[in-house]
Amino acid sequence: MKLLLVEDDTTFANTLKRRLEKHGFTCWHADTCNDALLACHRHLPDFILLDMKLHHESGLNLINPMRQLRPQSRIILLTGFASIATAVDAIKLGADDYLTKPVDTQTLLAALNPKAAKTEPVISQDEDKVLSAEQVEWEHIQQVLKFNNGNVSATARQLSMHRRTLQRKLQKRPTPTKSA
């Protein structure tokens, strides 16, 4: 069971690597898009764990080329910035699953195991957690804001939103909702 871990956070990558090696995976780590494609070509992994945000690049851009290199590999997108839009994009591009960080070992192993794989992507490892539309929007705004290094004007332009509207949205953090 060969696994390629594409993650720019070295500490998190090493932790995941140790956890997965305890469960029988042989792991390789890459922290850039170019290194990931080279490692995918060189090691021919059966599984690929792909971070969505790699430095200033998007892991979404790697899904298609990796799928072409390894059509039978199981590709799991990991992200600290979950949103419905990126989950849909990832699945449309060819990812097999979508998990939010931090991810527990059992959830990760269930996503990696093809026999236990579900037909629908996993959007959150916390099954009791249901995100409202406002929470999804908030998470997306935070992701774009971080990408723009906190620049509200650039974020508003990227989101096609008036700057004052964005500022109002940033002042109102939505409260989590729980399902029964």
Side-chain angles (χ1 to χ4, degrees):
M1 295 190 310
K2 299 184 287 185
L3 183 138
L4 174 60
L5 176 58
V6 184
E7 170 66 56
D8 61 348
D9 181 344
T10 307
T11 305
F12 181 68
N14 288 334
T15 302
L16 267 182
K17 194 174 170 202
R18 280 192 308 272
R19 284 167 44 190
L20 292 167
E21 285 172 343
K22 287 180 182 179
H23 291 276
F25 289 92
T26 302
C27 300
W28 292 275
H29 173 239
D31 65 352
T32 66
C33 288
N34 287 337
D35 289 346
L37 289 172
L38 286 171
C40 188
H41 185 71
R42 182 177 299 138
H43 301 295
L44 304 173
D46 303 308
F47 304 93
I48 301 167
L49 286 179
L50 179 59
D51 187 16
M52 188 171 78
K53 181 100 168 73
L54 297 167
H55 301 291
H56 297 291
E57 301 172 291
S58 173
L60 290 171
N61 297 334
L62 287 174
I63 296 172
N64 192 31
M66 287 185 160
R67 180 59 69 207
Q68 289 177 359
L69 277 170
R70 300 293 297 153
Q72 301 304 317
S73 291
R74 188 149 174 80
I75 300 176
I76 312 295
L77 190 78
L78 291 172
T79 182
F81 304 98
S83 76
I84 301 295
T86 56
V88 170
D89 288 345
I91 301 305
K92 282 183 179 177
L93 289 168
D96 294 297
D97 220 328
Y98 182 92
L99 299 174
T100 57
K101 293 179 190 174
V103 63
D104 64 86
T105 304
Q106 294 309 315
T107 301
L108 187 54
L109 291 173
L112 290 169
N113 185 349
K115 294 176 184 172
K118 298 176 178 135
T119 57
E120 294 183 22
V122 175
I123 294 177
S124 174
Q125 80 266 11
D126 183 1
E127 292 179 14
D128 293 336
K129 184 176 178 183
V130 175
L131 295 178
S132 67
E134 291 82 16
Q135 288 171 300
V136 171
E137 180 184 46
W138 172 265
E139 293 295 328
H140 181 67
I141 289 171
Q142 292 303 312
Q143 178 184 1
V144 176
L145 188 63
K146 183 176 180 182
F147 180 79
N148 288 306
N149 297 316
N151 185 324
V152 174
S153 296
T155 301
R157 279 191 301 275
Q158 191 172 352
L159 294 171
S160 300
M161 186 182 293
H162 194 279
R163 186 176 185 275
R164 282 181 271 164
T165 302
L166 177 59
Q167 287 174 321
R168 279 193 298 272
K169 288 181 181 285
L170 289 170
Q171 291 173 351
K172 299 178 185 176
R173 183 182 179 108
T175 57
T177 58
K178 291 281 185 175
S179 65

